[in-house]
Amino acid sequence: MASFWRAVMGSSTEPDALADGVEFWSNPERGGWLTKQGEYIKTWRRRWFVLKQGKLFWFKDPAVNRSSVPRGVILVATCLTVKGAEDVINRQFAFELSTHRETMYFIADSEKEKEEWINSIGRSIVQHSRSITDREVVDYDSARAAEASGHQ
């Protein structure tokens, strides 16, 4: 899980630094309890999750406010898939979130909650992946236009 953390977070290990201006305490796109495996000790722990602006934060306590420090953050744009995983880990209401390097598992409280998390995270993956692609296309087009007009 530590390498998953590095894969999705880059080299920084400070979750509060990764909030990057996101007001996670106010009007999240989705929030709720999920159970996840610990990073180092592979026990399952119940955590409060908040999805906002392409970041999935988790906390020990649901009373999230401005001074709360996330226990972890996943940059959704680095994720490739989110899908059900009951058959993979043999746990009811399980789903997985994968990057090109690793997979992280979560357990929701019900089938409905699991589907809502999968849908919310899936929408966020598409939205934030597309915005990265759009910026790359704009930059590419701008570079070509500048090249064509002789301005570089």
Side-chain angles (χ1 to χ4, degrees):
M1 209 59 74
S3 56
F4 181 81
W5 178 261
R6 284 188 297 276
V8 296
M9 294 297 115
S11 58
S12 177
T13 56
E14 295 297 322
D16 54 334
L18 293 165
D20 194 27
V22 176
E23 295 180 355
F24 52 76
W25 60 89
S26 175
N27 300 316
E29 294 157 33
R30 177 143 192 81
W33 288 107
L34 291 171
T35 302
K36 67 173 279 299
Q37 257 187 337
E39 257 182 272
Y40 303 106
I41 300 170
K42 301 297 182 186
T43 56
W44 290 93
R45 296 171 193 253
R46 192 165 165 83
R47 297 290 184 240
W48 183 259
F49 280 80
V50 170
L51 177 64
K52 186 164 182 184
Q53 295 176 326
K55 296 186 181 197
L56 183 62
F57 301 92
W58 66 91
F59 305 86
K60 275 189 171 182
D61 188 296
V64 176
N65 58 47
R66 185 183 298 268
S67 63
S68 297
V69 177
R71 302 288 293 175
V73 183
I74 297 172
L75 302 175
V76 174
T78 65
C79 298
L80 303 173
T81 62
V82 58
K83 60 185 179 183
E86 286 96 344
D87 54 339
V88 178
I89 62 170
N90 201 27
R91 298 228 181 185
Q92 194 175 27
F93 315 133
F95 66 96
E96 64 183 53
L97 185 55
S98 301
T99 68
H100 68 283
R101 292 185 183 178
E102 259 180 281
T103 301
M104 191 173 199
Y105 296 99
F106 302 88
I107 301 169
D109 290 343
S110 68
E111 182 65 25
K112 181 178 185 286
E113 286 284 312
K114 180 191 88 168
E115 292 301 324
E116 288 173 353
W117 275 108
I118 288 172
N119 291 337
S120 296
I121 294 168
R123 275 192 304 273
S124 190
I125 289 171
V126 170
Q127 179 183 18
H128 293 279
S129 296
R130 184 175 47 229
S131 66
I132 289 169
T133 303
D134 287 348
R135 282 197 303 272
E136 289 170 355
V137 170
V138 169
D139 290 344
Y140 176 73
D141 288 344
S142 297
R144 284 183 55 199
E147 231 174 60
S149 67
H151 297 63
Q152 289 184 341

